[in-house]
């Protein structure tokens, strides 16, 4: 067998791995590049998709599933395997991303697909339950809970008497709403993400301090706390975080609003599967009762007249698109307001510029003079950190190769050094389009 990457090799997005067995050609994840790497989406993938037997999607983030309609466009007609929750979320992600594509001007043909491509991709989705061993062609496979987001799964493929574990994106052992990953056994080769391979997450106490500072600011100034947030997983975690924080600090209570069609749709999926989460389902639903979802035209009119102060969550998380941009334009120039980021901000994004101190922002043909207070919650992450990743690897005890992907060059290099100092396995950094024999 051999493994080749066409994405998420020495970078953190665009996950696309291809495994060749004796009789099968398998794609593991089918994602688009994002942020500073989005230009890589223009690169042609030298793969005959009509000969790809099946695709596995580990979870529904765009950098793991966004390429599916392009695979259809390029000739793929097989089955796409995922969990039920991932299937529900993929439907939301692909339809939302298609709307964004249609709004873009002068888009290269290579970055466009059709509505039939999208519909066929969704129709090819086949739901597989966790821990069900399934036979396909000359191999068998099994999904294991990965944490990270709702429905996320790691994947074990067994062929030619070898078991290979593809981690997908791994969650944390003590996440506030997502369950801890479940680890497989008797693994020969391991392909593992390295997003946080060079650092550990910060203490949660710092998160509470920053949340308190932000809410106190808008209470004192009669302003708005705008929280740009990723629609899937991060928004739902934020709703619980804010609910719990305001319960503990009733003196800081204020209205909480959610204005993002995609985040609202994803939240409804989370509510549907609340029993699958690492939180009491009633408590999870209670948190959502606190917020007002902006779903209808009349809600938008109410928002325009809303008395301040209030907290407003909106997508996208890096200020790269979505309804949050409208709110940013209205709020950024007033020092009464506070903008609190909640996750990684890619190079060249508006969010990154603001966190680096920019106060003069070109925006829709004019310059915004940013006077709102800018800050970031750094301890929110659905990815396992370095210590947690190493603990997972030691728990699995892979017999042979450990292959690192889905991380920056710095992250992977540091992670590789740490692993080599603690383990006797061969540690390999996955390189784009360079096959590794398994």
């Amino acid at each position: 067998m051999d493994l080749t990457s066409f994405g998420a090799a020495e970078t953190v997005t665009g996950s696309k791995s291809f495994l060749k067995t004796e009789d099968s050609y398998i794609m593991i994840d089918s994602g688009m590049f994002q942020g500073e790497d989005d230009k890589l989406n223009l690169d042609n993938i030298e793969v005959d998709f009509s000969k790809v037997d099946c695709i596995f999607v580990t979870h529904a983030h765009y950098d793991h599933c966004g390429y599916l309609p392009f695979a259809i466009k390029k000739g793929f007609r097989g089955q796409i395997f995922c969990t039920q929750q991932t299937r529900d979320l993929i439907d939301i992600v692909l339809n939302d991303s298609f709307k964004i594509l249609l709004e873009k001007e002068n888009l290269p043909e290579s970055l466009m697909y059709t509505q039939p491509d999208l519909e066929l991709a969704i129709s090819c989705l086949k739901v597989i339950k966790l821990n069900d061993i399934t036979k396909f062609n000359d191999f068998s496979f099994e999904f294991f809970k990965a944490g990270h987001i709702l429905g996320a799964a790691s994947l074990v493929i067994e062929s030619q008497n070898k078991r290979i574990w593809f981690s997908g994106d791994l969650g944390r052992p003590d996440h506030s709403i997502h369950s801890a990953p479940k680890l497989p056994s008797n693994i020969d080769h391991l392909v593992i993400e390295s997003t946080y391979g060079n650092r550990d997450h910060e203490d949660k106490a710092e998160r509470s301090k920053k949340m308190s500072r932000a809410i106190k600011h808008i209470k004192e100034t009669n302003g708005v706390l705008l929280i740009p947030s990723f629609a899937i997983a991060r928004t739902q975690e934020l709703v619980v975080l804010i609910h719990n924080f305001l319960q503990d600090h009733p003196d800081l209570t204020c209205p909480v609003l959610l204005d993002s069609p995609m985040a609202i749709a994803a939240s409804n999926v989370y509510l549907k599967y609340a029993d699958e989460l690492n939180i009491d389902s009633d408590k999870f639903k209670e948190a959502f009762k606190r917020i007002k979802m902006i779903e209808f035209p009349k809600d938008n009119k109410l928002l325009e007249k809303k008395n301040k102060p209030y907290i407003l969550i909106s997508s996208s998380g890096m200020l790269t698109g979505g309804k949050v941009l409208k709110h940013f334009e209205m709020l950024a120039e007033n020092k009464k307001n506070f903008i609190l980021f909640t996750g990684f901000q890619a190079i060249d994004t508006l969010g990154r510029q603001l966190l680096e101190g920019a106060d003069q922002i070109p925006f829709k043909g004019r310059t915004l003079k940013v006077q709102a207070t800018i800050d970031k919650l750094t301890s929110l992450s659905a990815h396992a950190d370095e210590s947690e990743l190493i603990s997972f690897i030691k728990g699995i005890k892979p017999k042979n190769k450990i292959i690192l992907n889905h991380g920056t060059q710095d992250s992977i290099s540091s992670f590789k050094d740490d692993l080599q100092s603690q383990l006797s396995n061969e540690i390999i950094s996955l390189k784009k389009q360079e096959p590794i024999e398994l």
Side-chain angles (χ1 to χ4, degrees):
M1 291 187 289
D2 63 65
L3 175 69
T4 307
S5 170
F6 284 87
E10 297 184 306
T11 188
V12 294
T13 63
S15 293
K16 303 180 196 72
S17 296
F18 291 85
L19 180 69
K20 282 187 177 180
T21 68
E22 189 172 309
D23 298 318
S24 300
Y25 194 28
I26 306 159
M27 185 177 190
I28 299 99
D29 280 325
S30 185
M32 294 289 280
F33 293 100
Q34 293 177 282
E36 62 186 306
D37 290 331
D38 63 358
K39 60 184 177 295
L40 297 175
N41 289 318
L42 292 168
D43 294 349
N44 187 39
I45 298 179
E46 299 296 333
V47 170
D48 183 351
F49 276 87
S50 67
K51 295 182 179 178
V52 175
D53 294 288
C54 62
I55 299 174
F56 292 94
V57 179
T58 60
H59 66 283
H61 275 150
Y62 187 64
D63 63 328
H64 289 258
C65 73
Y67 196 81
L68 291 174
F70 293 98
I72 295 294
K73 177 182 177 181
K74 293 174 179 290
F76 176 76
R77 293 297 183 270
Q79 291 182 320
I80 303 169
F81 298 113
C82 62
T83 65
Q84 180 64 61
Q85 296 88 346
T86 296
R87 190 249 177 261
D88 291 359
L89 291 170
I90 284 176
D91 197 335
I92 295 169
V93 171
L94 293 187
N95 278 287
D96 186 81
S97 60
F98 186 58
K99 290 177 184 177
I100 294 172
L101 283 179
L102 293 177
E103 293 170 358
K104 291 186 176 181
E105 298 179 359
N106 304 317
L107 198 66
E109 173 62 26
S110 60
L111 291 183
M112 197 62 208
Y113 54 85
T114 66
Q115 183 73 33
D117 293 330
L118 167 61
E119 292 172 356
L120 185 53
I122 292 174
S123 72
C124 288
L125 296 171
K126 180 175 175 57
V127 170
I128 300 294
K129 293 182 179 179
L130 294 172
N131 308 117
D132 273 6
I133 299 174
T134 305
K135 186 77 175 168
F136 188 93
N137 288 1
D138 64 330
F139 68 93
S140 63
F141 66 89
E142 184 177 0
F143 280 139
F144 291 80
K145 182 170 286 188
H148 187 58
I149 72 170
L150 181 68
S154 65
L155 169 70
V156 171
I157 291 179
E158 183 169 352
S159 181
Q160 298 166 235
N161 296 316
K162 293 180 181 176
R163 284 169 57 83
I164 307 162
W165 183 57
F166 294 87
S167 74
D169 286 356
L170 289 172
R172 307 192 64 189
D174 60 347
H175 193 270
S176 58
I177 66 170
H178 298 118
S179 300
K182 301 296 183 184
L183 304 180
S185 59
N186 194 28
I187 296 300
D188 294 289
H189 303 295
L190 186 159
V191 183
I192 189 166
E193 66 129 319
S194 315
T195 311
Y196 283 85
N198 60 347
R199 59 200 186 280
D200 286 344
H201 296 308
E202 294 183 3
D203 192 280
K204 293 178 181 178
E206 185 64 24
R207 179 175 68 192
S208 181
K209 289 180 183 178
K210 291 189 175 184
M211 182 65 73
S212 179
R213 175 186 176 226
I215 298 177
K216 283 180 179 179
H217 178 93
I218 63 164
K219 295 277 280 189
E220 292 169 358
T221 63
N222 201 37
V224 176
L225 168 55
L226 176 63
I227 306 181
S229 178
F230 304 101
I232 297 177
R234 184 58 48 81
T235 290
Q236 294 75 40
E237 181 183 8
L238 266 172
V239 168
V240 173
L241 169 66
I242 293 170
H243 173 70
N244 291 341
F245 180 86
L246 294 179
Q247 277 193 323
D248 293 339
H249 302 83
D251 57 311
L252 296 179
T253 296
C254 59
V256 184
L257 300 94
L258 173 59
D259 188 19
S260 165
M262 184 177 175
I264 290 171
S267 295
N268 287 330
V269 174
Y270 266 72
L271 288 164
K272 177 182 176 181
Y273 297 106
D275 290 341
E276 300 289 328
L277 300 174
N278 185 37
I279 179 175
D280 180 83
S281 60
D282 289 336
K283 290 182 179 179
F284 184 73
K285 293 171 183 177
E286 180 185 346
F288 272 87
K289 289 178 182 178
R290 180 185 288 274
I291 69 169
K292 168 65 177 176
M293 295 187 183
I294 308 300
E295 299 183 80
F296 308 105
K298 63 182 178 67
D299 295 329
N300 286 290
K301 292 179 181 178
L302 288 173
L303 178 57
E304 292 172 6
K305 300 176 182 179
K306 183 71 179 175
N307 291 329
K308 301 168 184 175
Y310 60 83
I311 300 168
L312 176 60
I313 305 169
S314 189
S315 297
S316 66
M318 299 184 197
L319 294 180
T320 53
K323 297 184 76 173
V324 71
L325 291 178
K326 175 189 71 174
H327 301 301
F328 171 74
E329 184 177 16
M330 294 176 61
L331 301 172
E333 294 184 299
N334 193 326
K335 63 183 179 182
K336 292 182 178 182
N337 302 321
F338 202 110
I339 301 174
L340 186 63
F341 291 95
T342 61
F344 175 74
Q345 305 294 310
I347 294 173
D348 296 332
T349 61
L350 183 51
R352 182 68 165 262
Q353 293 175 51
L354 291 166
L355 286 173
E356 290 178 345
D359 57 7
Q360 303 282 323
I361 301 291
F363 192 88
K364 295 183 180 179
R366 68 185 186 94
T367 299
L368 286 180
K369 297 180 180 179
V370 179
Q371 296 191 63
T373 302
I374 308 295
D375 205 350
K376 177 184 177 182
L377 295 178
T378 53
S379 61
L380 282 176
S381 178
H383 284 273
D385 63 21
E386 180 184 20
S387 296
E388 292 160 349
L389 289 171
I390 290 175
S391 177
F392 292 153
I393 292 171
K394 289 181 176 179
I396 291 173
K397 299 182 178 67
K399 301 172 187 175
N400 295 307
K401 294 182 175 71
I402 299 174
I403 301 163
L404 310 181
N405 73 340
H406 205 283
T408 63
Q409 293 185 24
D410 288 345
S411 175
I412 287 178
S413 177
S414 174
F415 194 33
K416 183 176 181 180
D417 289 343
D418 285 347
L419 288 174
Q420 286 179 328
S421 70
Q422 300 182 53
L423 301 171
S424 59
N425 302 73
E426 181 182 4
I427 316 294
I428 300 172
S429 302
L430 195 60
K431 308 289 185 183
K432 189 176 181 181
Q433 298 187 46
E434 292 186 12
I436 293 174
E437 185 176 349
L438 300 175

